[in-house]
Amino acid sequence: MDYSENIALGANAFESHDMVLLDDSGPCLFLAFMLSKPWLDARSQALGRNFRFPSPRIPIHPALRQACWRVLDLILALDTPRDAVDEEVGLLLEAAIQASTEQVDVPPPAAMGPTLDHRLRKAIAHMREHVAEKTTVDDIAAKVGLSRAHFFALFRDQLNATPQVFWSAVRVEEAMRRVSEGLPLTDVALDLGFSAPGNFSRFFKEHTGVSPSIFRRAVRAPLPNTVTGIPR
């Protein structure tokens, strides 16, 4: 989903997401929060409501924008008590969840169907079949008979992503599946082509917000078949 100065992105726990700067024409400031489950559970119990985003699309109306600046001001003020920051973040989260209910007509994720170019389907299948191999975007483009420029254009136009972002999502998808199945983390790291378990842990946390071990403990149900939005 595209975000902008007026549209924020809300991702619930363990939902696939990437934050990529789409326009580098000028400076920007990201205000991002990764909220711990105990904090969310305590907040939910205290207020008697569920803290989940019904839609990833959050319109940033004036009141929500002001709430963002209040939180930022508190964070930058080094002498602000932690409780005060937590309280303001809670209010901001409530406002963001409410805003995400205002417009829920978000287009569904692209599906692996007739509208998806056959070369793109072939490229995605290749990524999944060779997820543990060290390869480049240029290599994959060549295997499906596309130039680098055309390859990037197809991903942009049909999946609203770059090949690199999608490639990372494929690796995260496979990592989540293997970790949730209880396989040893060292084995998962080496099987997916990482030179060391620490590199795998950093990659996993960078893309999911939690470490592989915490993710494994938190999984209580079977994972969906895909986190990229493209069925296998």
Side-chain angles (χ1 to χ4, degrees):
M1 187 202 78
D2 284 348
Y3 58 86
S4 68
E5 182 181 357
N6 299 309
I7 299 293
L9 172 65
N12 296 308
F14 308 130
E15 287 181 348
S16 178
H17 61 280
D18 274 287
M19 292 179 288
V20 179
L21 183 60
L22 301 180
D23 181 1
D24 59 0
S25 59
C28 66
L29 174 67
F30 282 94
L31 187 59
F33 298 97
M34 293 185 180
L35 305 172
S36 70
K37 188 176 186 299
W39 188 90
L40 281 175
D41 288 346
R43 190 87 188 177
S44 179
Q45 184 175 7
L47 298 177
R49 59 169 298 180
N50 185 27
F51 281 88
R52 289 186 63 83
F53 293 102
S55 165
R57 186 177 187 274
I58 305 174
I60 305 177
H61 49 60
L64 184 56
R65 192 181 303 278
Q66 290 176 6
C68 289
W69 283 112
R70 284 198 301 270
V71 170
L72 185 60
D73 287 343
L74 289 176
I75 292 174
L76 294 178
L78 300 180
D79 58 346
T80 304
R82 174 63 182 270
D83 290 346
V85 176
D86 284 353
E87 181 62 25
E88 201 64 47
V89 170
L91 295 174
L92 172 59
L93 179 60
E94 291 179 57
I97 291 174
Q98 179 59 37
S100 72
T101 66
E102 295 174 3
Q103 298 185 33
V104 294
D105 55 340
V106 180
M112 181 80 87
T115 58
L116 204 61
D117 187 280
H118 69 95
R119 292 161 297 184
L120 207 52
R121 294 200 301 270
K122 186 177 178 182
I124 293 169
H126 180 84
M127 288 179 179
R128 284 177 167 150
E129 290 169 5
H130 303 273
V131 67
E133 297 177 11
K134 291 184 178 179
T135 187
T136 68
V137 168
D138 290 343
D139 290 338
I140 299 173
K143 286 184 180 298
V144 298
L146 291 172
S147 67
R148 177 183 174 88
H150 196 178
F151 193 56
F152 271 73
L154 275 180
F155 268 90
R156 180 195 65 220
D157 296 342
Q158 297 199 15
L159 293 176
N160 196 31
T162 66
Q164 295 99 324
V165 167
F166 196 89
W167 174 244
S168 291
V170 167
R171 300 186 80 197
V172 170
E173 179 180 83
E174 184 63 16
M176 291 172 67
R177 185 184 69 80
R178 296 190 186 198
V179 169
S180 69
E181 290 177 350
L183 299 175
L185 297 183
T186 298
D187 291 352
V188 174
L190 297 178
D191 288 347
L192 291 180
F194 290 88
S195 59
N199 295 337
F200 169 68
S201 293
R202 281 191 293 274
F203 171 84
F204 194 95
K205 187 171 184 178
E206 211 172 77
H207 288 82
T208 67
V210 295
S211 67
S213 56
I214 291 177
F215 178 83
R216 172 178 290 169
R217 291 197 298 269
V219 172
R220 292 290 182 271
L223 291 177
N225 291 330
T226 175
V227 296
T228 59
I230 308 297
R232 291 177 178 274

